[in-house]
Each structure stands twice: as structure tokens, then as C-alpha cells.
């Protein structure tokens, strides 16, 4: 069997369970089972790549599929402790399709769909003798003929949309195919569908408007089952030595559940624990180039937003989302919504931000692209800024900030301290190669504006304080009086940098070098 009542889910899920980094998400089964045989039986759960969609789909297949005994597999999981555990255990005919799997050397949408239909028809003919030797105009006719009902688990439903050989007409046809297969069909007990892209359901004539859609922007039902919570990551750290919880949090945290609880990127956490090293794992598998291309085509719409977020300033916005057919993004709302859907931005309580260090590295590279215009020119000169700071060349530091401020980039014209922070971020972007830079860092009796922690020996730590309307002397005095130096005790050399700006004066910089004995 290819799709019908196969043991693929069981075998694949068993491999995941054998991993040292598996996290029990089995209570998803209880939640999904509530929808079986109800008018709300159509569920579409979209999440970024590598966020647990396929693991959960295989878990559901392993639990529901008729003809196997999965009791031993689930016996030690949370679901086994519920009263409803055995109600649906291996009780259903399951059609499980991973739409990301394609025929060898597939070159057209027609080849792709014909391959799926051929395997599904073969499965049904093998299992139901009454369907053999008959011609059917639609696959739904063959499913009616069986007289049975089915749970459909359709993983990565939108994967075909990313193929170069698929055009808009093909996409519309695929949506109609899914509609004919699923919509208002009496043989459907449950349709559980996953993907990255939201369904095109934003018009009254949408083909799949029977689905309830749950994504990063609206899910308050299933959000705890995708991604790792803080508690789950702490447990993994206890079982897998080599990386601290604080390291994992800095690198891979930054997403939120609907109630504001923290979510970690699961792929990156597991990779880091297995390799005992925090690196950029997840974004190498995702469509960062696609997002960057969208930004390039609409740079004026989102350039300011990106610079603010790289500066650690969240962007307030009421996003409306976008659909699976809107792969060509034309507006600021669509671009930002796409970045949330893909997982490149975090969105909570109406605020957008770059989730973590892993993604911050990617967005820093975006600022260096030619399409960023004047911003790229500033970034290209940021190496000079760091060198001037380390040499304590106060005049050059001040002149470079003055140069950036004088560029014809509207959001760099100071209206508040956030604008000054954007300038500082761009001026010191090169420093992020050798430093971990924290904005509004808690230290001593308050929060210093910028803390630069060197990643390698031989470089000084840097504490940078901004004063809009004040003096450099006041900035340096604040660093000392509020004991911001507390965060730099392990470094031999520290630079205290005060930068002041007044509407009536030019930028002024003061740098004081000190040491820890």
C-alpha cells in the first residue's frame, strides 16, 4: 500500500521516538480526535518549515491507522494516560499522503498529480474488490464505491506551489482537486492538512473554505504542539549535556503561543543538542532568499521596518495575512505577513520582531544587499566605525555618525531615540561578526543602551550609552554611576563610549579606556 492504511507513519514515528531529543506532543491526538465526525472536521495547520508538522502528522497516522497495534508505541506517552486513549487507537482507515514526495525526474504538474492518483487508485483497488476493473471520472467516485469512511492526513499540501514548473493555472487546478477530494464528501471522517502557506480562502469563492485554518498568526488551539516550550528545552538540556539552556534560548527562542508563552525553533534546538554546538541550522533549509527577493522588489515598503527590527525595535502593525496564491508579494502587509508565516519574524500582540540570534544573522545580511541603497553604503562603511572606536578616535566616530544622519534616508532623521538607535545599529553592523551585541542590556542599576561582548580574545568589551539632548560626559558618568561595568568583569579591557546629539549641535563622541585588574 502507498497511502491507504500503510505503516509508514508508524515506522517513521518510531524512528523519531528513538531520538534522544524527542519531545512528547502526543496530547495533540486528543485534541484532533475531538473533531472526528463533526462539522468542524476540516483542519489545516500551517507552520514554517521544520517546525514539527511532519512528525505530528506521522504520529497521528501511527495512532489512527487500522490494521496495526500501536499500543506499545504510545504506552509511555501522555496520551496513554487519558480516558479517551483507546477510543480511536488503530480504529480508522487512514489515507496519509506526503505531498512533498514527487516522482523521479518529475517535470510537470500533470506528472505529479497523475502519480498521486495512480498510487491511490491502486491502493483502493487492492483493498476493495468492488472497485476493481472500473473506470472512474473522479477519485471521489471510487472512494464512494468503497462504502467506508476515511481519515485523511495530508502533509505539506502546498509543496507543489514552490516548484518552478507549476504555474498559476496549475495551482488553481490543485486547489480544485483537493476540493473535489474532500469537500462535503460523506466518506471524510477527518481531514488533517499541514503546510507552510495559508490556504487561498480570502474570497467567498475559495475552493477550500471548509477548512479551519490555524497558523502562527491566529492559532490558539494547537499552538503548544508545534515548537518547544521553555520547560521542554530545559528537560532536553538535562538529558543532553554540552549546551546550556541560556545558549539555546538566545539562539533559537523568540516565538510565542497565543497566550504569550515562549516557543523555541525545534529543528535548531535538536540539531544544536546533537552536535553540542549552536549554529545557524534552520534558516539554511528555508526560503530566506525568497523573502530577500520580496524585500528587494518592495524595498521602500519594508526597509525601515527591517532596520528597526535589526536595531532591536519592534514594529507595531495589524497584519491581515496572505494566501497560498499570493506568492508574488506586492504590499508591505503581504511581505511582513509572509515573513511571519515562514517563521522569519515573530508576531505577538500586534508587534513584529526578529525572534532570535539565528535569524538576526540572516537579516543583517539582507541589509548588505544592493537593493537597500543608502543603507548598504552605510553598512559597507561599518568596519571603519568599529576600527575607529577601538582606536579611540572620537572625532572619526562622531563624523561617521554625522555622515549617516545627513543621508537622505527619512527614518534616520531623528524624531526620537529609536531613530538614533537605528543609526548606531547600521554604523556598527560589521561589529556583529566579532561581538555579541545586546541592546538595552540589564546591568548594575539599570539598562545600558548597547553592550558589546567580544567573541574572541584580544578585543575590548564596549559599553555604549546614547544621550539625545545631553552630553558625552553625562553618558560616561551614567555608565559608571549605574555600574554598567558589572557585565564586563570577565574582560580585561573595556571601552566606555558616550555619544551625544542635540538638535542645535553636531554629534559628539567621548571614549574612555579602562581595565579590569
Amino acid at each position: 500500500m502507498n497511502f491507504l492504511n500503510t505503516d509508514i507513519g508508524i515506522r517513521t514515528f518510531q524512528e523519531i521516538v528513538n531520538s534522544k531529543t524527542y519531545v512528547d506532543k502526543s496530547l495533540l491526538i486528543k485534541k484532533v480526535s475531538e473533531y472526528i465526525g463533526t462539522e468542524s472536521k476540516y483542519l489545516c495547520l500551517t507552520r514554517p518549515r521544520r517546525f514539527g508538522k511532519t512528525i505530528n502528522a506521522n504520529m497521528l497516522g501511527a495512532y489512527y491507522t487500522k490494521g496495526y497495534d500501536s499500543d506499545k508505541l504510545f504506552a509511555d506517552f501522555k496520551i496513554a494516560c487519558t480516558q479517551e486513549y483507546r477510543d480511536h487507537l488503530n480504529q480508522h482507515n487512514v489515507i496519509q499522503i506526503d505531498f512533498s514526495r514527487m516522482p523521479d525526474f518529475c517535470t510537470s504538474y500533470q506528472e505529479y498529480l497523475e502519480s498521486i492518483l495512480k498510487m491511490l487508485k491502486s491502493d483502493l483497488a487492492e483493498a476493495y474488490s468492488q472497485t476493481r476493473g472500473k473506470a472512474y471520472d473522479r477519485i471521489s467516485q471510487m472512494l464512494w464505491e468503497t462504502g467506508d469512511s476515511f481519515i485523511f492526513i495530508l502533509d505539506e499540501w502546498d509543496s507543489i506551489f514552490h516548484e518552478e514548473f507549476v504555474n498559476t493555472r496549475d495551482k488553481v487546478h490543485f486547489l480544485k482537486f483537493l476540493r473535489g477530494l474532500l469537500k462535503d464528501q460523506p466518506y471524510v471522517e477527518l481531514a488533517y492538512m499541514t503546510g507552510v502557506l495559508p490556504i487561498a480562502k480570502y474570497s467567498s469563492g475559495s475552493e477550500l473554505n471548509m477548512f479551519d485554518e490555524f497558523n502562527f498568526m491566529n492559532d490558539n488551539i494547537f499552538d503548544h504542539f508545534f515548537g518547544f516550550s521553555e520547560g521542554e528545552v530545559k528537560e532536553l538540556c538535562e538529558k543532553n549535556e554540552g549546551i546550556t539552556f541560556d545558549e539555546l534560548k538566545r539562539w533559537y527562542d523568540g516565538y510565542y503561543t497565543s497566550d504569550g508563552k515562549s516557543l523555541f525553533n525545534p529543528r535548531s534546538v535538536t540539531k544544536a543538542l546533537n552536535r553540542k554546538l549552536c549554529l545557524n541550522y534552520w534558516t539554511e533549509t528555508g526560503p530566506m532568499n525568497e523573502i530577500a527577493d520580496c524585500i528587494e522588489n518592495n524595498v521602500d515598503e519594508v526597509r525601515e521596518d527591517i532596520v528597526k527590527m535589526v536595531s532591536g525595535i519592534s514594529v507595531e502593525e495589524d497584519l491581515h495575512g496572505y494566501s497560498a496564491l499570493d506568492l508574488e508579494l506586492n504590499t508591505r502587509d503581504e511581505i511582513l505577513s509572509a515573513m511571519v508565516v515562514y517563521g522569519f519574524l515573530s508576531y505577538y500582540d500586534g508587534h513584529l520582531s526578529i525572534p532570535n540570534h539565528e535569524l538576526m544573522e540572516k537579516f543583517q545580511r539582507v541589509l548588505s544587499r544592493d537593493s537597500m541603497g543608502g543603507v548598504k553604503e552605510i553598512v559597507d562603511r561599518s568596519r571603519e566605525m568599529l576600527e575607529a572606536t577601538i582606536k579611540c578616535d572620537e572625532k572619526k566616530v562622531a563624523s561617521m555618525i554625522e555622515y549617516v544622519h545627513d543621508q537622505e534616508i527619512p527614518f534616520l532623521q531623528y524624531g526620537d531615540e529609536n531613530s538614533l538607535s537605528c543609526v548606531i545599529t547600521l554604523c556598527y553592523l560589521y561589529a556583529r561578526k566579532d561581538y555579541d551585541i545586546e541592546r538595552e542590556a540589564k546591568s548594575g542599576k539599570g539598562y545600558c543602551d548597547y553592550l558589546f561582548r567580544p567573541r574572541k580574545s584580544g578585543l575590548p568589551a564596549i559599553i555604549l550609552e546614547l544621550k539625545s539632548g545631553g552630553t558625552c560626559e553625562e553618558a560616561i558618568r551614567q555608565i559608571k554611576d549605574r555600574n554598567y561595568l558589572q557585565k564586563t568583569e570577565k574582560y580585561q579591557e573595556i571601552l566606555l563610549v558616550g555619544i551625544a546629539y542635540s538638535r542645535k549641535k553636531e554629534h559628539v563622541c567621548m571614549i574612555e579606556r579602562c581595565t579590569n585588574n
Side-chain angles (χ1 to χ4, degrees):
M1 291 289 186
N2 301 290
F3 302 137
L4 175 62
N5 293 339
T6 74
D7 65 346
I8 292 176
I10 295 172
R11 288 188 286 112
T12 306
F13 185 57
Q14 180 68 69
E15 291 177 358
I16 297 297
V17 170
N18 292 340
S19 167
K20 294 180 180 178
T21 54
Y22 174 70
V23 172
D24 183 356
K25 298 288 186 179
S26 63
L27 289 181
L28 173 66
I29 295 169
K30 178 181 177 182
K31 180 58 66 174
V32 170
S33 295
E34 295 173 5
Y35 294 86
I36 294 175
T38 71
E39 62 180 359
S40 302
K41 60 188 176 184
Y42 298 98
L43 306 175
C44 182
L45 280 71
T46 56
R47 289 296 188 276
R49 288 174 170 85
R50 306 289 187 168
F51 244 81
K53 301 186 300 295
T54 297
I55 292 174
N56 283 341
N58 284 321
M59 177 180 69
L60 293 172
Y63 174 80
Y64 290 126
T65 301
K66 183 183 291 187
Y68 302 93
D69 184 358
S70 304
D71 189 24
K72 186 176 180 181
L73 178 58
F74 289 97
D76 296 327
F77 292 163
K78 295 175 183 177
I79 185 63
C81 298
T82 65
Q83 291 183 347
E84 305 88 348
Y85 170 54
R86 297 192 179 279
D87 290 353
H88 298 280
L89 180 64
N90 303 129
Q91 297 297 309
H92 298 269
N93 292 304
V94 173
I95 294 175
Q96 183 172 349
I97 303 175
D98 180 349
F99 282 110
S100 68
R101 299 186 182 277
M102 295 195 178
D104 293 340
F105 314 111
C106 184
T107 60
S108 72
Y109 167 71
Q110 187 173 5
E111 288 179 17
Y112 169 77
L113 190 58
E114 284 180 351
S115 173
I116 292 172
L117 289 172
K118 180 180 178 181
M119 288 190 284
L120 183 53
K121 289 177 180 178
S122 173
D123 287 353
L124 293 172
E126 182 179 343
Y128 299 94
S129 59
Q130 66 269 37
T131 66
R132 296 171 194 164
K134 295 183 179 180
Y136 297 96
D137 294 331
R138 300 183 303 276
I139 188 65
S140 58
Q141 291 178 320
M142 194 170 187
L143 286 160
W144 294 339
E145 188 86 5
T146 66
D148 262 343
S149 57
F150 303 85
I151 285 179
F152 289 81
I153 299 177
L154 308 178
D155 195 23
E156 303 290 0
W157 79 273
D158 58 328
S159 59
I160 189 64
F161 283 20
H162 299 285
E163 297 298 325
E164 291 183 358
F165 56 73
V166 175
N167 57 38
T168 300
R169 186 174 180 179
D170 295 333
K171 294 170 188 174
V172 172
H173 183 275
F174 186 66
L175 292 172
K176 290 181 178 179
F177 160 70
L178 291 177
R179 178 191 63 186
L181 176 67
L182 302 170
K183 189 171 185 178
D184 298 327
Q185 301 292 8
Y187 52 75
V188 177
E189 287 189 296
L190 175 76
Y192 177 93
M193 194 159 72
T194 79
V196 175
L197 298 176
I199 299 171
K201 59 174 286 183
Y202 300 101
S203 65
S204 59
S206 171
E207 287 81 0
L208 301 180
N209 57 6
M210 71 283 198
F211 274 94
D212 285 324
E213 199 170 334
F214 302 89
N215 58 50
F216 250 157
M217 295 171 62
N218 71 357
D219 188 356
N220 65 335
I221 304 294
F222 302 100
D223 50 357
H224 294 273
F225 301 113
F226 296 87
F228 293 163
S229 69
E230 285 198 353
E232 289 166 341
V233 175
K234 287 178 179 177
E235 287 184 18
L236 288 174
C237 287
E238 292 174 2
K239 297 176 183 177
N240 301 268
E241 297 180 356
I243 298 181
T244 67
F245 170 78
D246 289 339
E247 286 181 279
L248 292 173
K249 184 173 180 63
R250 173 175 168 270
W251 270 84
Y252 310 122
D253 190 15
Y255 302 96
Y256 299 95
T257 60
S258 59
D259 55 1
K261 293 180 180 177
S262 205
L263 271 183
F264 289 64
N265 183 310
R267 173 185 170 83
S268 296
V269 168
T270 56
K271 285 285 187 181
L273 288 170
N274 286 330
R275 293 189 57 180
K276 302 187 185 306
L277 180 66
C278 287
L279 290 174
N280 194 320
Y281 298 109
W282 176 68
T283 55
E284 299 305 323
T285 70
M288 191 63 195
N289 286 336
E290 294 173 23
I291 295 298
D293 290 342
C294 293
I295 294 169
E296 286 189 347
N297 295 331
N298 301 273
V299 66
D300 292 335
E301 294 268 359
V302 297
R303 179 174 56 186
E304 178 179 351
D305 297 320
I306 294 169
V307 172
K308 283 183 177 179
M309 288 186 283
V310 171
S311 302
I313 303 165
S314 65
V315 173
E316 188 172 359
E317 183 67 22
D318 181 20
L319 296 181
H320 298 96
Y322 81 116
S323 74
L325 294 180
D326 294 332
L327 294 183
E328 295 183 5
L329 310 178
N330 299 308
T331 69
R332 175 172 174 263
D333 182 88
E334 288 173 345
I335 295 166
L336 295 176
S337 295
M339 286 197 265
V340 172
V341 168
Y342 280 120
F344 289 111
L345 292 179
S346 173
Y347 186 57
Y348 176 69
D349 197 25
H351 288 81
L352 287 156
S353 60
I354 298 172
N356 48 43
H357 181 72
E358 182 176 36
L359 282 157
M360 183 63 78
E361 287 188 343
K362 286 290 186 180
F363 277 97
Q364 289 165 18
R365 296 180 198 175
V366 169
L367 296 182
S368 302
R369 293 170 77 102
D370 290 338
S371 62
M372 297 301 286
V375 169
K376 179 185 186 301
E377 183 180 348
I378 296 167
V379 170
D380 287 346
R381 296 188 60 184
S382 63
R383 180 172 184 170
E384 297 176 43
M385 186 68 162
L386 177 62
E387 292 173 348
T389 303
I390 293 175
K391 292 176 182 178
C392 295
D393 189 339
E394 299 168 337
K395 289 185 178 179
K396 185 168 184 178
V397 170
S399 67
M400 290 189 70
I401 297 174
E402 188 78 21
Y403 166 79
V404 173
H405 177 252
D406 289 344
Q407 298 302 298
E408 295 182 1
I409 302 176
F411 64 89
L412 297 184
Q413 308 305 309
Y414 303 155
D416 52 33
E417 193 167 296
N418 281 342
S419 300
L420 179 55
S421 295
C422 289
V423 170
I424 296 300
T425 294
L426 292 175
C427 285
Y428 282 100
L429 197 71
Y430 179 84
R432 294 175 186 256
K433 293 183 177 180
D434 297 321
Y435 286 87
D436 291 327
I437 301 177
E438 186 178 353
R439 185 172 181 267
E440 298 290 344
K442 179 73 171 69
S443 183
K445 300 177 182 178
Y447 295 84
C448 61
D449 285 333
Y450 287 89
L451 175 63
F452 293 59
R453 294 190 182 93
R455 294 199 193 107
K456 56 185 180 182
S457 60
L459 291 173
I462 301 172
I463 301 175
L464 191 152
E465 190 68 23
L466 307 175
K467 282 295 176 184
S468 180
T471 67
C472 294
E473 290 82 2
E474 290 173 343
I476 298 294
R477 192 181 311 122
Q478 180 172 319
I479 292 173
K480 295 177 179 178
D481 291 347
R482 297 189 181 180
N483 195 23
Y484 294 164
L485 286 160
Q486 182 187 63
K487 280 286 188 78
T488 61
E489 291 176 349
K490 69 176 183 178
Y491 304 106
Q492 185 175 356
E493 185 180 16
I494 307 99
L495 298 181
L496 311 185
V497 181
I499 296 175
Y501 171 77
S502 171
R503 292 182 183 274
K504 297 181 180 180
K505 300 178 182 179
E506 296 179 342
H507 295 83
V508 183
C509 174
M510 177 181 288
I511 303 175
E512 183 176 319
R513 191 185 301 272
C514 59
T515 59
N516 284 321
N517 297 323

